[in-house]
């Protein structure tokens, strides 16, 4: 019991020692023993009272804490506690006047922007009226031969609409930014398109209306056993396809079946074209392969009349080597002679009546030689869908296998919206520099031109069809940039068995054929949202023909750096 009291007393002493006092100082105090002897009861009372106070504080804390939490929960917007706020100025004195002036200026700016928006809408409506009335009448007028720039020409009108559209969008965005400081709730998305919903159907690079029902056509009704032998000599595959298309027009004018050239003297057209597709489009037999022609003649083939469209630089634009190849097919040829004086370098403009008068004949088989350079009814021949009446989009188009392969490639690598670029380089430097002005552009200048089209088209990827070296395409890739990001230039990759987009070609033995690959490139380009071609290239011209016929031509289609001169041109040799 004494030990218990002694320990309690020591504990009481420790409680009574000041925090700043040292133990030895307490022990040495003269009043130490006196307090120990006579203040035990008081100390005990004080201890009891302190414990009671501590007890009460704990209970009070436990009671009031939940109440405080509930009050804060129902009276405080917790979301606002975690939102970043811009520093505000106390609305007193000079600051109050400054804020009032700022708000007044913002409201004034909003008023002016609204007035500008109304004026821009009036301009937009004016362009719509021009497009519906004056624009169509001016374009359709054959007597309109102004030397100056036509105010209502399609490029100018579309450029005006594009600028108005951009300013309307910018106007709406500025209004949104100003209003954001006066409206509570929500945040402003600076990437949002603020353009009115009435513009949703308008696009700067929308498809061109080719007005196919209005096109001028001729019926192709060949007489039985009357043939026109197609002969194409100049250039490569694209030239030959254009030559073949013109031969079809001549055959229709002369009411003859067209004989497709043999692969022994020309390209293997059956690998890139669907010959039977042409007959299906007209609902009758209008073309025949050379092998089919040979079978019908029982190998007794003879060209009854060889009338040359071109006389210079040599009759029918054929050399002795070509004549030898034709004879090697088992053909016997009549005398080759020109019906008029015509030079491939300076062809005359001819009419349908001229052709019918000079080349009509009762002979069974005739030939007129290469007609690639022939200039007969150019507007009629070059119109969308061609000059011949048929029920398809176009007569000369890639084979079904190539078309499907192109679609699979687009689905794999490109998607719906992409720009196609035909970047002709190999052998093009000398060819272009011989023209005035030149059409061969330095890579940086070409990149600037491409960037402008990318901006208008608003597309994320470019398909690159080119014969350029990697050094040029690598530099071009580094310079094609939009919104601070490099726009990828996609080319057809090397064969990979893990990829199935080109399986059809390999399954049908068409792999590795340069002409098949060239036609595949054309098809991909023809299906693009926007096309940039190389001026002077027949490869580009054939793509443009397909785009017109298929209805994929865009208002943004153009030749590379169209209207510009190369900023540097090398001297002649």
């Amino acid at each position: 019991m004494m030990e218990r009291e002694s320990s309690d007393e020591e504990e009481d002493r420790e409680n009574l020692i000041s925090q700043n006092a040292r133990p030895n100082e307490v022990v040495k105090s003269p009043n130490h023993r006196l307090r120990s002897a006579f203040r035990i009861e008081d100390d005990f009372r004080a201890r009891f009272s302190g414990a009671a106070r501590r007890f009460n504080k704990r209970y009070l804390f436990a009671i009031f804490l939940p109440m405080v939490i509930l009050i804060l929960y129902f009276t405080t917007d917790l979301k606002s506690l975690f939102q970043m706020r811009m520093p505000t100025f106390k609305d007193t004195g000079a600051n109050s006047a400054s804020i009032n002036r700022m708000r007044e200026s913002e409201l004034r700016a909003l008023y002016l922007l609204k007035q500008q928006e109304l004026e821009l809408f009036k301009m937009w409506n004016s362009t719509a009226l021009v497009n519906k009335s004056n624009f169509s009448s001016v374009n359709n007028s054959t007597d309109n031969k102004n030397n100056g720039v036509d105010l209502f020409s399609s490029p100018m009108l579309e450029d005006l609409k594009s600028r108005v559209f951009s300013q309307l969008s910018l106007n709406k965005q500025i209004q949104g930014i100003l209003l954001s400081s006066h409206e509570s709730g929500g945040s402003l998305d600076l990437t949002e398109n603020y353009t009115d919903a009435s513009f949703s159907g308008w696009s700067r690079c929308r498809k061109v209306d080719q007005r196919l029902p209005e096109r001028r056509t001729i019926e192709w009704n060949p007489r039985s056993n009357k043939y026109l032998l197609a002969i194409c000599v100049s250039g490569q595959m694209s030239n030959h396809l254009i030559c073949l298309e013109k031969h079809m027009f001549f055959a229709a004018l002369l009411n003859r079946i067209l004989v497709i050239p043999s692969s022994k003297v020309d390209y293997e057209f059956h690998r890139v074209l669907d010959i039977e597709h042409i007959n299906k489009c007209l609902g009758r037999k209008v073309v025949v392969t050379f092998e089919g022609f040979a079978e019908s003649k029982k190998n007794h083939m003879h060209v009854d009349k060889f009338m040359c469209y071109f006389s210079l630089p040599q009759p029918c634009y054929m050399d002795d080597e070509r004549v030898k190849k034709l004879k090697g097919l088992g053909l016997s040829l009549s005398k080759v002679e020109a019906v008029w004086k015509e030079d491939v370098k300076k062809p005359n403009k001819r009419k349908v009546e001229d052709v019918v008068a000079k080349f009509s004949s009762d002979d069974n088989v005739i030939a007129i030689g290469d007609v690639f350079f022939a200039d007969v009814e150019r507007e009629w021949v070059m119109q969308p869908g061609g000059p011949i009446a048929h029920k398809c989009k176009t007569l000369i188009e890639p084979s079904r296998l190539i078309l499907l392969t192109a679609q699979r490639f687009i689905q794999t690598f490109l998607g719906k919206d992409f720009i196609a670029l035909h970047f002709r380089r190999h052998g093009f430097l000398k060819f272009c520099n011989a023209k005035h002005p030149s059409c061969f552009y330095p890579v940086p200048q070409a990149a600037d031109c491409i960037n402008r089209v990318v901006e208008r088209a608003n597309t994320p990827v470019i398909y690159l069809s080119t014969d350029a070296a990697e050094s040029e395409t690598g530099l071009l890739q580094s310079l094609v940039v939009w919104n601070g990001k490099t726009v990828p230039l996609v080319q057809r990759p090397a064969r990979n068995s893990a990829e199935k987009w080109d399986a059809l070609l390999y399954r049908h033995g068409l792999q590795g054929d340069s002409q098949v690959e060239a036609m595949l490139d054309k098809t991909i380009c023809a299906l693009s949202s926007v096309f940039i071609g190389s001026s002077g290239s027949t490869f580009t011209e054939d793509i443009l023909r397909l785009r017109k016929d298929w209805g994929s031509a865009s208002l943004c289609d153009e030749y590379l750096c169209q209207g510009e001169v190369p900023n540097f041109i090398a001297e002649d040799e």
Side-chain angles (χ1 to χ4, degrees):
M1 184 70 179
M2 291 295 295
E3 292 177 359
R4 174 66 180 167
E5 290 176 355
S6 175
S7 64
D8 289 342
E9 184 177 358
E10 290 174 0
E11 184 177 356
D12 291 340
R13 289 173 185 169
E14 291 175 2
N15 291 331
L16 293 173
I17 294 174
S18 173
Q19 288 182 346
N20 295 327
R22 289 182 298 225
N24 291 338
E25 293 176 346
V26 176
V27 174
K28 291 178 182 180
S29 174
N31 297 325
H32 173 68
R33 184 173 296 276
L34 183 62
R35 290 202 313 269
S36 301
F38 300 102
R39 301 289 299 276
I40 293 176
E41 184 176 352
D42 293 338
D43 292 340
F44 180 78
R45 189 179 293 111
R47 287 178 59 204
F48 182 81
S49 174
R53 282 195 300 271
R54 287 193 300 272
F55 179 81
N56 290 335
K57 288 180 179 178
R58 289 172 183 170
Y59 271 89
L60 288 172
F61 183 78
I63 292 170
F64 284 105
L65 180 60
M67 293 179 65
V68 172
I69 293 173
L70 289 173
I71 292 171
L72 289 173
Y73 180 81
F74 288 107
T75 61
T76 306
D77 184 5
L78 296 178
K79 291 183 178 180
S80 64
L81 293 175
F82 298 97
Q83 287 184 344
M84 294 183 65
R85 294 180 179 272
M86 296 296 291
T88 58
F89 300 98
K90 292 183 178 179
D91 194 12
T92 59
N95 286 335
S96 176
S98 176
I99 290 174
N100 288 335
R101 285 195 301 270
M102 184 185 303
R103 289 176 177 172
E104 184 180 351
S105 298
E106 289 176 349
L107 292 173
R108 178 65 178 169
L110 282 168
Y111 172 77
L112 293 174
L113 284 170
K114 197 65 181 176
Q115 296 303 309
Q116 183 192 50
E117 181 187 4
L118 293 174
E119 291 301 318
L120 288 171
F121 267 115
K122 290 180 183 177
M123 292 176 64
W124 180 270
N125 292 333
S126 297
T127 61
L129 290 174
V130 169
N131 195 37
K132 290 179 180 179
S133 57
N134 297 344
F135 173 61
S136 58
S137 62
V138 170
N139 269 337
N140 292 334
S141 176
T142 56
D143 298 328
N144 181 35
K145 298 180 181 179
N146 298 328
N147 294 327
V149 179
D150 183 5
L151 178 61
F152 302 122
S153 65
S154 180
M156 286 191 65
L157 183 62
E158 290 304 320
D159 185 62
L160 174 61
K161 293 174 74 173
S162 177
R163 291 175 185 274
V164 174
F165 181 85
S166 299
Q167 290 304 310
L168 275 167
S169 182
L170 179 62
N171 176 289
K172 285 288 188 180
Q173 189 171 358
I174 295 172
Q175 289 188 52
I177 293 172
L178 289 173
L179 283 171
S180 65
S181 62
H182 294 270
E183 297 177 354
S184 58
S187 59
L188 185 67
D189 183 3
L190 297 180
T191 62
E192 182 180 351
N193 184 0
Y194 293 93
T195 306
D196 189 83
S198 62
F199 293 90
S200 58
W202 183 82
S203 170
R204 176 70 174 91
C205 297
R206 67 182 184 274
K207 303 303 179 187
V208 178
D209 182 8
Q210 303 291 356
R211 301 180 181 179
L212 292 177
E214 302 175 13
R215 69 190 183 100
R216 177 188 177 190
T217 60
I218 182 177
E219 294 292 333
W220 189 358
N221 295 306
R223 295 171 290 173
S224 61
N225 205 33
K226 301 295 181 180
Y227 297 95
L228 170 62
L229 182 65
I231 298 176
C232 298
V233 179
S234 62
Q236 299 182 8
M237 171 66 87
S238 297
N239 296 48
H240 286 226
L241 290 176
I242 295 172
C243 171
L244 198 61
E245 184 181 22
K246 291 183 177 181
H247 260 107
M248 290 168 57
F249 183 48
F250 280 87
L253 292 176
L254 301 174
N255 298 319
R256 291 180 174 272
I257 298 172
L258 184 67
V259 181
I260 305 297
S262 169
S263 58
K264 294 180 180 179
V265 297
D266 208 328
Y267 292 104
E268 297 180 276
F269 290 108
H270 67 279
R271 292 173 71 87
V272 296
L273 302 177
D274 186 352
I275 305 299
E276 196 56 35
H277 162 81
I278 302 173
N279 291 327
K280 290 179 181 178
C281 289
L282 275 88
R284 64 186 73 92
K285 189 175 182 179
V286 293
V287 296
V288 63
T289 63
F290 186 85
E291 290 72 22
F293 167 71
E295 178 66 23
S296 66
K297 292 297 181 179
K298 302 299 182 183
N299 294 322
H300 296 289
M301 297 177 292
H302 177 69
V303 177
D304 301 310
K305 205 165 189 177
F306 215 128
M307 302 173 284
C308 297
Y309 186 95
F310 285 104
S311 58
L312 297 171
Q314 61 264 354
C316 286
Y317 201 51
M318 294 194 310
D319 54 17
D320 293 338
E321 184 66 25
R322 177 67 57 167
V323 173
K324 187 182 299 184
K325 286 182 178 181
L326 290 173
K327 291 181 177 180
L329 296 174
L331 274 171
S332 58
L333 307 177
S334 61
K335 182 181 179 182
V336 178
E337 55 185 356
V339 297
W340 53 30
K341 184 178 180 181
E342 194 77 17
D343 191 343
V344 296
K345 295 181 180 180
K346 295 180 180 180
N348 297 304
K349 290 185 178 182
R350 302 289 184 177
K351 298 291 185 181
V352 167
E353 295 78 11
D354 301 329
V355 173
V356 173
K358 289 292 184 179
F359 297 98
S360 293
S361 173
D362 289 329
D363 295 290
N364 289 336
V365 182
I366 67 171
I368 59 177
D370 195 311
V371 292
F372 171 75
F373 297 100
D375 188 0
V376 179
E377 305 281 4
R378 180 182 301 177
E379 291 76 15
W380 189 4
V381 172
M382 296 298 292
Q383 68 180 340
I388 300 171
H390 57 82
K391 58 184 179 181
C392 300
K393 290 183 176 180
T394 184
L395 294 179
I396 297 180
E397 66 177 15
S399 68
R400 181 68 177 167
L401 291 176
I402 293 177
L403 178 60
L404 289 175
T405 302
Q407 292 174 350
R408 291 182 177 186
F409 178 86
I410 293 171
Q411 184 178 0
T412 303
F413 295 100
L414 301 172
K416 178 182 177 182
D417 295 321
F418 69 98
I419 293 174
L421 168 64
H422 175 222
F423 193 52
R424 171 73 185 275
R425 302 298 275 183
H426 181 69
F428 218 45
L429 176 58
K430 185 176 181 180
F431 169 81
C432 279
N433 281 358
K435 301 175 66 176
H436 299 284
S438 174
C439 53
F440 191 89
Y441 298 89
V443 172
Q445 184 180 0
D448 286 341
C449 298
I450 295 166
N451 287 335
R452 290 196 291 271
V453 177
V454 171
E455 182 180 1
R456 292 201 305 271
N458 190 21
T459 51
V461 66
I462 297 175
Y463 177 69
L464 178 61
S465 173
T466 186
D467 54 5
E470 187 176 348
S471 57
E472 291 185 73
T473 57
L475 176 59
L476 184 66
Q477 174 64 91
S478 67
L479 296 174
V480 178
V481 180
W482 180 54
N483 279 348
K485 297 181 180 179
T486 300
V487 181
L489 302 178
V490 179
Q491 293 181 266
R492 285 186 295 105
R495 168 66 176 166
N496 188 332
S497 59
E499 298 174 358
K500 300 301 180 184
W501 63 269
D502 57 351
L504 287 175
L505 299 184
Y506 281 78
R507 196 180 305 159
H508 290 83
L510 298 175
Q511 71 278 9
D513 187 318
S514 60
Q515 297 308 320
V516 171
E517 292 180 350
M519 184 59 76
L520 179 59
D521 258 16
K522 285 184 182 180
T523 309
I524 296 171
C525 290
L527 294 172
S528 64
S529 304
V530 175
F531 175 63
I532 306 172
S534 294
S535 177
S537 168
T538 53
F539 190 94
T540 282
E541 295 305 319
D542 203 35
I543 293 171
L544 292 173
R545 176 189 66 83
L546 281 174
R547 289 178 65 79
K548 286 191 300 182
D549 293 354
W550 284 350
S552 58
S554 161
L555 290 172
C556 292
D557 289 358
E558 64 177 46
Y559 296 112
L560 181 64
C561 295
Q562 185 170 313
E564 293 187 26
V565 176
N567 58 33
F568 186 88
I569 301 176
E571 296 178 358
D572 294 335
E573 297 178 12

